[in-house]
Amino acid sequence: MAAKVILHIGQQKSGTTYLQEMLGHVAGPLAEEAGILYPASIREILPDAIENHEKATRGLLGTEYPWVSAADAAVERGKWTRLAAKVRAWQDTALISAEALSAIRSPAVARLLAEFGGAAVEVVITARGLDRSLPSLWQQHVRNGRQSGIEEFFAVLAEQRGRGRRAIEEEPGLHLWRAFGLGGLVRRWAAEVGPDRVRVVVNPGSPPDLLWRRFAAAVGASGCAGRLPAEIRTRRAHSGLTGDEIELLIALNRRLDGAGWSTYERRALREEILLRGLNARGGRGGPVAVPESARALVAAWAEEDLAELRSSGVEIVGRPEELRPAPRPPDDAGPPTSFQVADAAAAAILAVAPRGRYAQAPRPKSWRTWIRTRVRPAEQFPSPSPSRPDAGRTASPN
C-alpha cells in the first residue's frame, strides 16, 4: 500500500481540468523525482486524454453520485479495482484527482478512506470565487442540455442553501452546495482525516500557471512545477461561453426537447457548434457574470464560507481574500444584444451546415461539348499525310 494517498477532490469549476492536464504531462517526472504516482486510468486507453479519476470512483461509490445509475456504476467497477491495485502496489505517494468527490456525503467519505487501509490520507481542495464558479456551473448545465436562465438558476441555489446545513449534508439532491459550499466541504473532510491533513489551494484566476505552482506546492511536487513548457502551463483548459452564446444554446435546447433527437445526438450537435462555430469566433466578448439580482446574496455566501474556512484550522495556499467576489462585474458583461445573438447563430449554422448540399448540381454535357472538351483539335478531322503520294485518293475496288 502507498505510504500516503493525496485526494484532490475539487471543487468543481476551480481549475481542476487544467490541473489534471498538467499532471498528465508531468506524470513521469512526478513519479521518478517526487515519488508521486498519478495513476493512469483513462490514459491507459487514450494516452493523450486528460486524466480524471471520477469514473473509477463511480465503480466504488455508485449512486452516491446522484447523476450515476446502478447500471453505470457496475460498468465502472473494474476501473476502481485497477486503480486501487495500482495504489496498493506503489510504495510512496499516490495522487487521485476527482472533483466529483466534493459532492459526496460523510458516510461515502468514510467508505472511500477505508479503501486505503493504513495509508495516511491527505486532502487537497482547489477553490475559486463563487462569482466565477457558479456562472461557470450554469454554463455547464446549459451545455449539457438545460434550459433555465441564469436568474432562475440562482433562485434555485438560494432556495437550496436556505434549507440549512443539515439538509445539505444529508439530502442527495443538494449535492451542489455540498460541493460549492466551501465551509461545509472543508468541515466534512477535516472531520474524517483531521484539519492538519486538509489544504485549500486558492485559484486566483490569473495567471493560470500560478494555480499550477500553488497546487504543486500543496502536493509536495514544487520541484516538478517548472518541468512543463510555458505554452502548456499558461494555456487554459477550455474557454467559457459569452452571454449571446448561452442565449443561443438555451433556445437550441428548447427546440431539441421533444424533437426526437437522442441524448448522444444532442450532445454531439452542441459540441460541434461550440468547437467549430462559437469558440472559433474572434472578439467573442466577456464572460457571463452573476446577475445583479443575486450579487449581494453571492457576496454573503462568500463571507460565510471565508469565516468558516479561517476558523477550520486547515492550511490555506494562497490568499483567502482572492475568494471574495469582485466589487463590480466585468464592464462587458451586460445582457447580449439581438445583433450579438444573431451573429452567434450565424456562426453555429456555418459550423454544422452541410456545404455540399447547397452546391450547384452539374449540368449534363451535350455531345458537342463532350467532343470539344475530350478530343484534341488535331484528332477531330485527320488531315492527309504529305509524305504519301496517294494521300487523299480513294482506293480502287480492284
Side-chain angles (χ1 to χ4, degrees):
M1 172 60 73
K4 180 165 66 175
V5 175
I6 300 175
L7 296 175
H8 173 216
I9 65 167
Q11 298 171 310
Q12 296 164 295
K13 302 302 176 183
S14 66
T16 51
T17 302
Y18 166 79
L19 291 173
Q20 288 158 356
E21 183 179 16
M22 300 302 105
L23 289 168
H25 279 290
V26 81
L30 199 65
E32 296 164 7
E33 300 172 17
I36 299 174
L37 173 70
Y38 188 57
S41 176
I42 301 172
R43 286 181 292 126
E44 288 180 329
I45 302 171
L46 301 171
D48 295 329
I50 296 176
E51 187 66 73
N52 182 336
H53 298 120
E54 179 187 336
K55 286 193 174 182
T57 66
R58 291 180 187 181
L60 174 70
L61 301 175
T63 56
E64 174 62 22
Y65 297 130
W67 56 89
V68 176
S69 68
D72 289 340
V75 170
E76 308 295 359
R77 199 157 292 142
K79 284 190 178 72
W80 175 257
T81 301
R82 291 189 293 273
L83 181 66
K86 291 176 183 178
V87 173
R88 293 188 185 102
W90 190 254
Q91 298 301 308
D92 208 327
T93 298
L95 170 61
I96 294 174
S97 179
E99 61 267 30
L101 290 174
S102 62
I104 66 176
R105 295 169 293 177
S106 294
V109 172
R111 182 180 175 191
L112 174 64
L113 297 178
E115 289 285 305
F116 303 123
V121 177
E122 297 181 357
V123 176
V124 174
I125 301 169
T126 45
R128 189 183 185 196
L130 290 175
D131 62 326
R132 307 298 278 180
S133 59
L134 292 179
S136 180
L137 177 66
W138 171 66
Q139 290 183 44
Q140 189 63 50
H141 284 185
V142 174
R143 289 178 65 142
N144 291 340
R146 303 283 182 87
Q147 303 172 17
S148 60
I150 192 167
E151 293 199 351
E152 180 184 351
F153 172 75
F154 274 94
V156 171
L157 286 178
E159 186 276 329
Q160 290 183 346
R161 184 147 176 156
R163 295 190 201 179
R165 176 178 297 181
R166 181 172 179 178
I168 290 170
E169 290 297 321
E170 295 178 359
E171 294 182 21
L174 299 185
H175 58 91
L176 289 183
W177 278 121
R178 278 198 297 279
F180 286 91
L182 182 59
L185 177 61
V186 167
R187 183 183 63 250
R188 187 181 320 122
W189 285 83
E192 298 292 339
V193 302
D196 58 321
R197 292 187 178 180
V198 177
R199 284 183 288 282
V200 175
V201 178
V202 179
N203 181 352
S206 182
D209 63 333
L210 179 54
L211 170 62
W212 165 242
R213 285 185 271 116
R214 286 177 175 178
F215 179 83
V219 300
S222 294
C224 297
R227 294 297 300 271
L228 293 165
E231 63 270 19
I232 294 177
R233 292 198 316 270
T234 57
R235 76 184 183 205
R236 298 182 182 277
H238 41 71
S239 177
L241 299 175
T242 63
D244 50 311
E245 293 165 351
I246 284 284
E247 291 292 337
L248 167 64
L249 284 183
I250 289 175
L252 176 63
N253 291 338
R254 288 171 179 160
R255 288 282 184 173
L256 287 171
D257 192 21
W261 289 53
S262 69
T263 300
Y264 175 84
E265 289 170 329
R266 297 183 193 197
R267 184 184 302 117
L269 175 64
R270 283 189 294 264
E271 288 305 310
E272 187 170 10
I273 287 173
L274 288 166
L275 296 176
R276 295 180 54 191
L278 303 183
N279 289 350
R281 295 190 304 156
R284 295 173 57 217
V288 174
V290 175
E292 187 62 36
S293 60
R295 288 191 62 78
L297 199 55
V298 171
W301 293 339
E303 291 302 326
E304 290 174 8
D305 286 341
L306 277 170
E308 198 159 3
L309 177 62
R310 287 193 175 101
S311 65
S312 66
V314 306
E315 181 182 351
I316 303 172
V317 182
R319 298 188 299 114
E321 293 75 18
E322 293 170 330
L323 295 173
R324 280 199 173 97
R328 290 173 54 89
D331 292 338
D332 51 359
T337 65
S338 58
F339 173 81
Q340 290 171 323
V341 177
D343 185 68
I349 292 170
L350 286 175
V352 298
R355 184 176 178 182
R357 177 181 175 183
Y358 304 105
Q360 185 177 9
R363 296 174 61 186
K365 295 179 179 180
S366 68
W367 68 271
R368 292 180 182 274
T369 303
W370 188 91
I371 291 175
R372 186 168 61 250
T373 58
R374 295 285 180 170
V375 181
R376 293 194 299 270
E379 295 177 343
Q380 292 181 25
F381 303 102
S383 60
S385 173
S387 62
R388 292 174 54 196
D390 58 345
R393 297 180 183 175
T394 303
S396 172
N398 298 322

